[in-house]
């Protein structure tokens, strides 16, 4: 059975303090690993898709990387507006997504 | 801007009421849409896959007679929670993917907060 585990469950950082969020997965034939950002009371907002080990993608202060077993979301010099829950998901079959529990990130000014 | 619109954003109603939630893809066609449920501080759990012009596919443990799905057009799917009870209170979120393009991610609506009194 496909599984996605995210760690830590919650993370508090000071503004400017870089860190990484982890997403470990087990899937039979990875068709895509997705990162989303979710603000309270809102739906997830798409950030990145990664398809193969070694792939990296960047957007502003965020960089996502992928290995055969896990993905990291690196956040560099974060700002308070980066505070959100970050969700990782793997594609199961043609289109279905299996989500991890998320990491609640808080950036203190 | 938003590419998937979900309405209403919040519903409060009495036990026994049926509630309809709409999900629209705004600038693309989606032959498939997805309905999720999210409990506080938990992740998204897929309830069902909505297929345009055919029956929805429900995940194990989801009652198809309780959660009616209709996908009558390439831009609209609806979820009806029939005879809702307090245990149905939750955050319901839909998503859609542009099926005209390959390797497109799912885009999500802003969710519907359902509260059954």
């Amino acid at each position: 059975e496909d599984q996605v585990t995210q760690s830590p469950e919650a993370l508090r950082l000071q503004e400017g303090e870089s860190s990484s969020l982890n997403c470990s997965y087990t899937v039979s034939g990875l068709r895509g690993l997705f990162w989303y950002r979710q603000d309270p009371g809102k739906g997830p907002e798409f950030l990145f898709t990664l398809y193969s080990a070694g792939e990296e993608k960047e957007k502003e202060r965020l960089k996502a990387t992928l290995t055969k077993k896990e993905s990291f979301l690196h956040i560099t010099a974060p700002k308070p507006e980066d505070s959100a829950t970050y969700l990782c998901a793997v594609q199961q079959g043609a289109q279905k997504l299996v989500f991890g529990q998320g990491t609640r990130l808080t950036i203190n000014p | 801007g938003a590419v998937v619109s979900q309405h209403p954003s919040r519903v409060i109603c009495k036990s026994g009421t049926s509630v309809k939630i709409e999900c629209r893809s705004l600038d693309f066609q989606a032959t498939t849409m997805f309905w999720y449920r999210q409990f506080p501080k938990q992740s998204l759990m897929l309830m069902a896959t909505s297929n345009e012009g055919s029956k929805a596919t429900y995940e194990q443990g989801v009652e198809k007679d309780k959660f009616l799905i209709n996908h009558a057009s390439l831009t609209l799917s609806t979820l009806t929670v029939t005879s809702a009870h307090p245990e149905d209170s939750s955050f319901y979120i839909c998503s859609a993917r542009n099926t005209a393009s390959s390797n497109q991610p799912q885009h999500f609506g802003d969710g519907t907060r359902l509260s059954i009194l």
Side-chain angles (χ1 to χ4, degrees), chain B residues 11-59:
Chain B
V11 179
I12 302 173
C13 57
K14 294 180 179 180
S15 184
T17 307
S18 291
V19 178
K20 180 186 282 189
I21 303 169
E22 293 187 348
C23 181
R24 294 181 186 272
S25 56
L26 296 182
D27 54 5
F28 61 91
Q29 293 183 335
T31 56
T32 305
M33 294 185 179
F34 303 87
W35 289 96
Y36 295 82
R37 184 171 179 175
Q38 187 176 34
F39 290 104
K41 295 188 177 182
Q42 294 190 26
S43 193
L44 283 75
M45 295 299 295
L46 180 65
M47 298 174 63
T49 302
S50 172
N51 304 298
E52 189 268 335
S54 64
K55 291 182 180 181
T57 305
Y58 291 83
E59 295 300 300

Side-chain angles (χ1 to χ4, degrees), chain B residues 8-21 84-86 88-90 112-117:
Chain B
S9 59
R10 179 157 189 129
V11 179
I12 302 173
C13 57
K14 294 180 179 180
S15 184
T17 307
S18 291
V19 178
K20 180 186 282 189
I21 303 169
H85 293 284
D88 298 321
S89 298
S90 191
T112 297
R113 174 75 57 194
L114 177 61
S115 300
I116 308 298
L117 305 177

Side-chain angles (χ1 to χ4, degrees), chain A residues 6 34 36 38 41-46 49 51 87 92 94-97 99-102 104, chain B residues 32 34 36 38 41-44 46 49 59 91 93 97 99 103 105-111:
Chain A
Q6 291 186 246
F34 301 81
Y36 287 87
Q38 186 176 26
K42 298 290 186 180
E45 175 189 347
F46 172 72
T49 309
Y51 291 102
L87 298 168
Q92 184 182 64
Q95 297 190 76
K96 284 172 55 174
L97 294 181
F99 280 87
Q101 293 294 98
R104 293 192 307 279
Chain B
T32 305
F34 303 87
Y36 295 82
Q38 187 176 34
K41 295 188 177 182
Q42 294 190 26
S43 193
L44 283 75
L46 180 65
T49 302
E59 295 300 300
F91 191 51
I93 311 176
R97 190 175 70 87
T99 48
N103 294 338
Q106 287 185 26
H107 291 284
F108 288 81
D110 269 344

